Structures are given as C-alpha cells and as structure tokens.
Amino acid sequence: TALISWIVADFEHRYDNASQMYGVEQVVRFLGAPAARPLPKLIVTDSRKISDLAKLVAENGDQPAKEEASTRLVEVAKATADQAWIDKLKPVLEEANRAGKLAPTPEQFKLQLEKAQDEQLERVFGAMKKVGGRAVVEYCIGFASEAKQSEDRRVRALAAIEGNFDHKNQVDSQRILALASADETPDKVRDLAFMRVGEMPREKVIGKLYELFGSAKRWQVRWVAAQVAVKMSTTEQIPEILGKLPGGKAQNFSLTEALTYGEWMGNTKMMPEKGGKTARAQLAGYLKEGSTSARLVALGFFYSHGTKADLQTLGAYESDRTPAPKCDDKQKECEWKCYIPKESKPQEKEPKDVATLGDFVKYCIEPAIKEKK
C-alpha cells in the first residue's frame, strides 16, 4: 500500500527518475493489478504521461481499471478537441513565441494552435489503442464519422479501435460498414474503415460488401470492398465473388479492377481438405464464359501470375471483339489504356487504347508477361 501511494503521489516525476534503484514501471509490474488500480485517476487533460499510464493499465490492470481508463481517455479526448482547449493554449503559445522572438501572422498562429491540438489528440488516440474498452470504441467510431473533423484525425480514431472492438457487436459493425460505404467518406478514412471491416467474421459482413459491388457510385469504393472480400475468402469462394461483379457491359468497371482482382485471387488460400481447386483452376472456367467483368478478371490473373508458358493460351483471345467496359464522366482514373513499347524506341512506352477484350490481352497482359525474367 505504501509503495502504491508513493507511485501515485508524484507519478510524472518519479516515472522519469533514473536515479531510483527500481523504476515505477518495475514496481507496478511486480505488484500487478493493485498497483494499476489507482492509475486511471491520473489520466487528466494536463497530464504529460497519458501514454505511459495507458500502457501500465493495459499491461497490468484488471478489467475495472481498464474500463475506468477507457472512460477517462474519452474525457481527455473530448476536452482536447474542444475550443476551450485552444483558448487555454493561446496565452501559453503567445508567450513561447515571444520568448523565441517569433512573430507569426494570425494565420500562422492559428496553424500553430491546430498543430498542437493535432499532436495532443494523436497522443490520446495512441493511448486509447493501448487500453481499448467500451468507452473508447464508442467514442472513436462516432469521432471518425464526424464530417467536421479533419481526415487525419478521423483516421487516427479508426486506428485506435484496431483489435479493440467486439466483432459480435452488430451496432459497431453496422456503423463501421456505413462509414466505409458512404460516398462522402474521405478515401483515407474509407480505407481504414474497410481494414476494420476486414477484421470482422466473413459471414457478418460479406453481404454488405457485395451490396457495394453494385451500389457504389465510384468504382474505387467497390475496389476497396472487393479487396476485403477477396482477402477474407478462399479459392472455393472465387466464383461467388465473380458472380457479384457488375454484369452486362460492366459500365464503370476500371482497368485497375481487372488487373488487381485477378492478382488478389491468385493469392487466396486453397482448402484441399474440402476438395478445393487452385485460383488458376477456378478462374480458367471464366476465360471464355461469364460476364465481361468476370472474364477480364480471369485474364487479369495472368498479369501478375502468368508465365511465358501461358502466352500460347492467351494468344487465342487476341481476336476477341467483346467490348471493354466504359466509364462515365464522373469516374476518375477509369481510362482503359495500357502502355506498350514504341515501335521506333522499344525502350520507351506509349499509351494504347483498350477497346476490346482482345486489346486487353494484347496490350496489357501479354507485354507484362514478356517483360518478366
């Protein structure tokens, strides 16, 4: 009890005191949960040791201590993100500028304040990731969903719940899926939201991912959703995924999708105990039949996984006149062009329009294979 009181009485100074025979961290580890129990109360807005306190509680605390730390970290985050925190920092920063003989413009001073707030929030979100807890998960999902927050801050909030949220919690899962699928979600936030989706059980989220294949207004949303879907699947589920891709003329299906889906599928696991086929064998059935997008993905497999021995097989498709997909004016980076060596200067490349499935093979797939050693 005396040792615990000694730790709490002057934590910040004693934690850094290198002259002690035994450091604070050693004492907490030795005493365990009882020593970690009073530490959450030290997590306050002005603390310089929030990250260290979070680490000690996460590694040594019992569940009540962790939940209390989680709640207090949320309180610190709310206070730090508030305008009152900025107002309190203003005179301190003004004095620091005077001492450093700096004379920032009003705009520069505003940026100084925002940077300081960003750095403090980054530390708090880092501490949240160590502790987790219901309060942290609830707050971070809500914070990441706020359009008024900067993209970087929203990304840090999503990073803080990695490995911390309950995958069985349907409310959390739906909120993260909604954030990932919303058209207005910034790309960096969307990417991390999909990473969190990828941590969930496949059966809980695959249906929503498939919905995005057809409902996404931008092909990039389907692309990220498909990456998650493929990574959580095995080779036996490749036909299922291909069947969910856009059918018909596959409008707004990009060249990037055709090339990367095949690459990802080539890296999926096979389940031989279930009589599974390899990715190559699964995709072979779509080279001649299936939707245009499925056929393009099957051919795109060879872009990354093909060898010179496959060139003879691919040559049979050079004359295929099936039209390549087209993208509307709202789609960015959706042009169907591949770069091939110039006839006059083979060491240089020039863009070539891809109008048909045969062009895709001739100008995109075969040159990539021929360049391989």
Side-chain angles (χ1 to χ4, degrees):
T1 301
L3 284 170
I4 294 170
S5 299
W6 171 81
I7 291 170
V8 173
D10 194 12
F11 180 86
E12 292 191 1
H13 291 100
R14 285 171 177 162
Y15 189 87
D16 289 331
N17 189 345
S19 67
Q20 296 165 169
M21 185 174 294
Y22 294 98
V24 165
E25 193 168 344
Q26 288 175 289
V27 175
V28 173
R29 282 204 306 267
F30 180 78
L31 296 176
R37 204 162 291 144
L39 297 183
K41 293 181 174 58
L42 305 180
I43 299 176
V44 293
T45 307
D46 296 331
S47 173
R48 295 183 296 108
K49 297 297 179 183
I50 288 177
S51 180
D52 299 306
L53 286 163
K55 178 185 176 184
L56 289 174
V57 173
E59 294 178 352
N60 304 280
D62 53 21
Q63 195 56 36
K66 292 176 182 178
E67 290 299 335
E68 184 182 355
S70 181
T71 299
R72 286 184 173 271
L73 284 169
V74 169
E75 292 172 357
V76 171
K78 289 179 178 179
T80 304
D82 192 74
Q83 181 61 37
W85 191 91
I86 291 285
D87 294 338
K88 186 177 179 180
L89 181 64
K90 281 181 181 179
V92 177
L93 191 55
E94 287 171 343
E95 180 58 34
N97 284 333
R98 280 194 293 270
K101 298 182 179 180
L102 300 175
T105 64
E107 184 61 31
Q108 289 172 331
F109 185 65
K110 181 181 177 183
L111 290 174
Q112 282 183 320
L113 290 169
E114 290 177 356
K115 183 180 179 181
Q117 191 177 42
D118 280 340
E119 290 174 349
Q120 180 63 5
L121 279 172
E122 184 175 6
R123 285 189 283 270
V124 176
F125 283 129
M128 286 178 163
K129 185 175 181 179
K130 296 174 183 176
V131 173
R134 184 64 225 161
V136 160
V137 172
E138 182 72 23
Y139 175 77
C140 286
I141 295 177
F143 189 96
S145 303
E146 293 181 12
K148 68 178 182 179
Q149 302 295 344
S150 72
E151 187 174 9
D152 287 341
R153 290 182 181 183
R154 295 171 72 181
V155 165
R156 292 185 187 114
L158 282 176
I161 64 172
E162 180 182 2
N164 286 323
F165 72 98
D166 182 2
H167 300 158
K168 297 178 182 179
N169 187 310
Q170 286 295 311
V171 175
D172 287 354
S173 299
Q174 291 303 316
R175 290 174 71 191
I176 295 172
L177 279 165
L179 178 61
S181 59
D183 289 317
E184 61 273 15
T185 299
D187 287 339
K188 287 199 295 185
V189 179
R190 185 191 319 284
D191 289 348
L192 208 58
F194 272 118
M195 287 181 67
R196 299 291 81 84
V197 172
E199 297 164 7
M200 303 176 192
R202 186 181 191 275
E203 65 275 10
K204 298 289 185 182
V205 297
I206 194 66
K208 182 63 177 181
L209 293 174
Y210 286 156
E211 284 181 24
L212 293 175
F213 282 21
S215 64
K217 295 180 181 178
R218 295 166 54 222
W219 70 265
Q220 290 93 338
V221 176
R222 178 177 57 240
W223 183 61
V224 182
Q227 184 177 22
V228 175
V230 173
K231 284 186 175 181
M232 60 172 51
S233 301
T234 61
T235 56
E236 290 73 38
Q237 291 152 335
I238 287 177
E240 175 186 299
I241 297 171
L242 292 174
K244 301 295 183 179
L245 294 176
K249 296 181 180 179
Q251 186 177 13
N252 296 334
F253 188 79
S254 74
L255 175 65
T256 299
E257 293 180 274
L259 296 175
T260 55
Y261 293 170
E263 176 188 355
W264 299 336
M265 289 176 180
N267 295 325
T268 54
K269 294 181 180 180
M270 185 179 71
M271 306 293 283
E273 67 275 12
K274 296 183 179 180
K277 298 180 181 179
T278 64
R280 178 184 283 263
Q282 291 282 27
L283 291 166
Y286 292 86
L287 292 174
K288 296 181 180 179
E289 299 179 358
S291 66
T292 299
S293 55
R295 293 187 66 199
L296 287 165
V297 171
L299 289 165
F301 165 86
F302 296 96
Y303 182 81
S304 297
H305 300 284
T307 66
K308 289 182 172 61
D310 296 312
L311 290 174
Q312 184 175 354
T313 300
L314 292 169
Y317 299 95
E318 288 186 13
S319 59
D320 193 306
R321 308 318 297 168
T322 302
K326 294 184 181 297
C327 298
D328 60 43
D329 296 336
K330 297 179 181 179
Q331 303 299 318
K332 295 181 180 179
E333 302 174 347
C334 200
E335 300 85 1
W336 277 77
K337 295 178 185 288
C338 281
Y339 289 80
I340 61 173
K342 291 182 179 180
E343 291 185 8
S344 57
K345 297 181 178 180
Q347 68 275 16
E348 297 181 11
K349 293 186 177 183
E350 61 182 352
K352 190 74 175 180
D353 288 331
V354 176
T356 65
L357 188 146
D359 289 344
F360 179 64
V361 172
K362 187 175 180 180
Y363 301 134
C364 305
I365 306 301
E366 291 178 339
I369 294 176
K370 290 174 182 177
E371 288 179 0
K372 293 179 181 179
K373 295 181 180 179

